[in-house]
Amino acid sequence: AATQTFSRDPVFGASVHSRMDWFSTLRARAGLAVNDTLFYVTAGAAAAKIKSSIVAKFPHAVTENASFGETRWGLVGGVGAEFALGRNWSVNTELLHMQFEKSSDTFHSRALSRAVTFENNDSLWVGRVGLNYRWDDPRASSASANAGAVAPFNPCGPARFNGGYVGG
């Protein structure tokens, strides 16, 4: 949540408060696997439910409130590292930056007898730590990459990070 207070007129003041209820990302990543660790960069699309509240203060203790909420789209990029624990489990940490499309919110002010428009330009930094489960078998990936060799119990390197993931 973020609050911005501004005033261009000595008799008029306003504050805008933005709150994100949820966000989701769809990203690709590319990196370098060093033994059991993958260092990566990631980028893609982001969506978020952002709610904005505007409080306008006028002379003579007149206050007006307006609220807006919408799902907004944007871009996400970041860096991270993932460490393979054993078999299909891994832990990761990453830093992401999300920038959402600009949005304009307009409400009709009774005190000014006209429409008042506020432009929102929301962005967000997120640091995350996660636990992941990979549903492919890293031993099978290692065995197919080294035809005829015995698959190690916990293969190292890029084979540890192949396939689809689910994490939280």
Side-chain angles (χ1 to χ4, degrees):
T3 301
Q4 178 181 6
T5 303
F6 55 91
S7 178
R8 292 190 179 112
D9 184 326
V11 296
F12 170 74
S15 64
V16 177
H17 176 82
S18 293
R19 187 182 87 218
M20 184 177 302
D21 285 346
W22 56 263
F23 74 88
S24 180
T25 64
L26 180 61
R27 299 176 282 140
R29 69 181 184 177
L32 175 66
V34 179
N35 293 326
D36 286 345
T37 305
L38 174 67
F39 299 97
Y40 62 89
V41 295
T42 182
K49 175 70 170 189
I50 299 175
K51 292 183 178 178
S52 299
S53 300
I54 299 167
V55 178
K57 296 183 180 184
F58 301 95
H60 311 298
V62 175
T63 301
E64 293 182 342
N65 298 302
S67 295
F68 307 91
E70 62 184 335
T71 300
R72 304 229 319 262
W73 293 91
L75 299 174
V76 59
V79 296
E82 182 172 345
F83 180 75
L85 296 173
R87 285 205 100 137
N88 299 58
W89 292 96
S90 64
V91 293
N92 74 306
T93 183
E94 61 186 5
L95 178 64
L96 302 174
H97 181 261
M98 291 179 236
Q99 178 66 54
F100 296 97
E101 64 187 339
K102 288 183 180 179
S103 167
S104 294
D105 296 326
T106 302
F107 73 97
H108 185 76
S109 169
R110 291 183 309 280
L112 295 176
S113 298
R114 65 179 172 87
V116 178
T117 300
F118 293 88
E119 187 174 89
N120 298 312
N121 188 13
D122 295 303
S123 63
L124 172 71
W125 284 96
V126 175
R128 301 182 349 162
V129 175
L131 176 65
N132 307 300
Y133 180 79
R134 186 178 53 254
W135 57 80
D136 67 330
D137 183 359
R139 293 179 299 144
S141 297
S142 178
S144 66
N146 302 309
V150 175
F153 177 71
N154 272 331
C156 294
R160 294 294 299 267
F161 303 101
N162 290 341
Y165 288 73
V166 64

